[in-house]
Amino acid sequence: MKHHINGAELYITEKGQGAPVILLHGFPLDHRMWQAQVDALSQHYRVITPDLRGMGQSDVPAANISMEQYADDILTMMDKMGIQKAALGGFSMGGYVAFALLRKAPERFTALLFANTRPEADGPEGRKNRMNMSAALYDKGAGAARDAMLPKLLTEQTAKDQPGLVENLSAVMASMPAEGLVHASLAMAFRADSVDLLGAISVPTLVIAGEQDPIAPPDVMKKMADAIRGASFHAIPSASHLAPMEKPEAFNALLLEFLKGATA
Ligand code: MLT
């Protein structure tokens, strides 16, 4: 349902009862990427999956936006939903928002999942790519992000075996508001580096990579996990970037086992 948050209508889905678990989606996606996790986790937890401002069914920002503003939306959402503390999971861009949340209000998060994400800021080349992506989004609409991202999200094998998944993803990405994606691209381009934050994390943390992820490669994610005290690291075999959708059984098994220990 829609919630009025920081001057905008944001679309937020929630399912289940118990300790709250907030899952933040990636680019250019929305809460629907978490469907398999919502189905599995909601038998034990209150699972909350917002559409970040400018994506999915949430209002597009009127002016440019930063990771810190996406994070403010999540904190206001928690206040409005009566959630003082939650387990927090971020996939890729959702992980960048999770880092911003840890900078702002670490005391509100009891456990962390970082999926297919990385703590480093973009370098000059990465920023340039985001500028080009923003221009392409203006010219051609959301299809520009879909065309750039689709080949990187799934392994070739999965794309061959699951044409329905490819079609579904393609439709989700093409349905995003192009302007919201421009804002997201620029927010990612100028996001802060979060490497220094890793040593300060003091809650149970799960880091999940895809063995064949070209965007957040497993060696980068392993290094990130090594910098977080007590974090556990797993690379899912035969998975690319979109591991939660590509290998939902393996992903959910890791997440459920982790949450059982972390929220006990
Ligand atoms: C995502 O999946 O959210 C994006 O690939 C993140 C990025 O482009 O850095």
Side-chain angles (χ1 to χ4, degrees):
M1 68 183 274
K2 293 255 177 147
H3 290 252
H4 193 73
I5 288 174
N6 300 341
E9 297 294 317
L10 300 192
Y11 186 80
I12 296 157
T13 316
E14 72 171 309
K15 193 171 176 196
Q17 285 176 351
V21 179
I22 299 169
L23 298 175
L24 304 177
H25 63 78
F27 170 96
L29 298 163
D30 64 18
H31 74 279
R32 286 174 284 178
M33 67 156 283
W34 294 116
Q35 190 56 54
Q37 286 69 45
V38 170
D39 289 344
L41 267 58
S42 61
Q43 294 166 34
H44 310 278
Y45 303 99
R46 180 182 179 193
V47 188
I48 296 142
T49 50
D51 283 355
L52 295 172
R53 187 180 287 249
M55 294 202 255
Q57 297 174 57
S58 290
D59 281 356
V60 174
N64 56 357
I65 182 165
S66 63
M67 286 300 149
E68 280 59 39
Q69 284 166 301
Y70 290 118
D72 282 338
D73 286 343
I74 301 304
L75 292 173
T76 304
M77 174 193 86
M78 290 172 72
D79 293 342
K80 292 222 166 182
M81 295 176 105
I83 297 169
Q84 183 48 40
K85 287 174 187 269
L88 175 68
F91 165 80
S92 202
M93 177 185 166
Y96 311 156
V97 178
F99 287 127
L101 279 162
L102 292 177
R103 265 191 293 279
K104 277 179 177 283
E107 71 287 353
R108 298 194 68 174
F109 302 101
T110 54
L112 300 169
L113 159 71
F114 293 112
N116 307 82
T117 193
R118 56 204 155 95
E120 292 84 8
D122 281 4
E125 193 58 31
R127 283 191 178 149
K128 196 170 133 202
N129 290 339
R130 307 261 192 217
M131 307 292 174
N132 291 337
M133 171 57 69
S134 304
L137 283 161
Y138 257 121
D139 269 0
K140 304 193 184 97
R146 176 202 54 201
D147 295 347
M149 293 298 291
L150 197 52
K152 299 182 195 161
L153 297 182
L154 307 171
T155 62
E156 270 177 36
Q157 193 61 45
T158 301
K160 212 161 91 192
D161 294 346
Q162 297 190 54
L165 175 58
V166 176
E167 231 170 84
N168 172 21
L169 269 174
S170 178
V172 166
M173 293 193 278
S175 75
M176 292 295 134
E179 216 171 301
L181 297 184
V182 171
H183 287 301
S185 295
L186 297 177
M188 287 195 283
F190 295 102
R191 72 186 188 279
D193 193 286
S194 297
V195 172
D196 282 353
L197 204 66
L198 303 177
I201 293 176
S202 61
V203 293
T205 301
L206 173 64
V207 178
I208 302 182
E211 261 185 7
Q212 298 180 44
D213 185 347
I215 296 174
D219 56 325
V220 171
M221 296 201 65
K222 169 80 169 62
K223 206 167 137 210
M224 168 170 117
D226 286 346
I228 303 172
R229 215 169 315 128
S232 55
F233 170 79
H234 300 268
I236 298 183
S238 310
S240 183
H241 187 55
L242 196 43
M245 283 185 90
E246 187 170 20
K247 296 287 167 203
E249 295 86 5
F251 193 95
N252 291 350
L254 290 169
L255 185 51
L256 279 166
E257 184 64 25
F258 167 71
L259 287 172
K260 205 161 89 183
T263 56

